[in-house]
């Protein structure tokens, strides 16, 4: 099977030396941290949106519409996109680590 036949798969990470040379483990970790912050923030928006819906639906005091949390993407596959990005950064980090190991002890 190829990546094209599977839904929500991450395309292969770039393997060119130029792309890998610009990445290091610290950069990969910062990208992962930013993705986790985004995922956590997205989860908080979902939590607030659900709380708003529950509050309105049980008939308590109406909340003004302008206080309703706005879904940042409006897309149902946002969680899948975060997962794909995290998988991709894991792949890139693995490539960077292996690239560093293969060049250790080699002098120019």
């Amino acid at each position: 099977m190829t990546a094209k036949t599977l839904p929500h798969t991450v395309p292969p990470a770039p393997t060119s030396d130029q792309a890998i040379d610009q990445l290091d483990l610290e950069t990969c970790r910062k990208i992962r941290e930013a993705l986790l912050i985004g995922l956590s923030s997205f989860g908080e928006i979902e939590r607030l949106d659900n709380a708003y819906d529950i509050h309105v639906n049980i008939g308590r005091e109406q909340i003004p519409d302008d206080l309703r949390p706005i879904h940042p993407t409006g897309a149902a596959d946002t969680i899948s996109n975060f997962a794909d990005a995290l998988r991709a950064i894991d792949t890139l980090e693995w490539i960077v680590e292996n690239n560093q190991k293969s060049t250790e002890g080699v002098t120019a």
Side-chain angles (χ1 to χ4, degrees), residues 71-82:
H71 197 291
T73 65
D77 62 349
T78 301
I79 298 298
S80 295
N81 292 339
F82 273 111

Side-chain angles (χ1 to χ4, degrees), residues 15-94:
T15 57
S16 74
D17 290 337
Q18 183 180 17
I20 299 304
D21 288 343
Q22 294 181 13
L23 284 175
D24 59 14
L25 290 176
E26 185 63 25
T27 301
C28 289
R29 290 176 181 141
K30 286 180 182 179
I31 293 169
R32 180 181 293 105
E33 183 63 25
L35 287 168
L36 291 171
I37 290 168
L39 182 57
S40 181
S41 299
F42 179 77
E44 181 64 8
I45 296 244
E46 288 289 310
R47 186 188 70 76
L48 291 172
D49 191 46
N50 288 337
Y52 178 93
D53 287 344
I54 289 169
H55 189 77
V56 168
N57 289 333
I58 61 173
R60 293 195 179 165
E61 180 181 335
Q62 289 295 316
I63 301 172
D65 284 339
D66 61 341
L67 292 180
R68 180 183 189 101
I70 298 173
H71 197 291
T73 65
D77 62 349
T78 301
I79 298 298
S80 295
N81 292 339
F82 273 111
D84 289 346
L86 286 166
R87 276 189 218 98
I89 199 64
D90 284 345
T91 301
L92 287 172
E93 186 173 12
W94 182 85

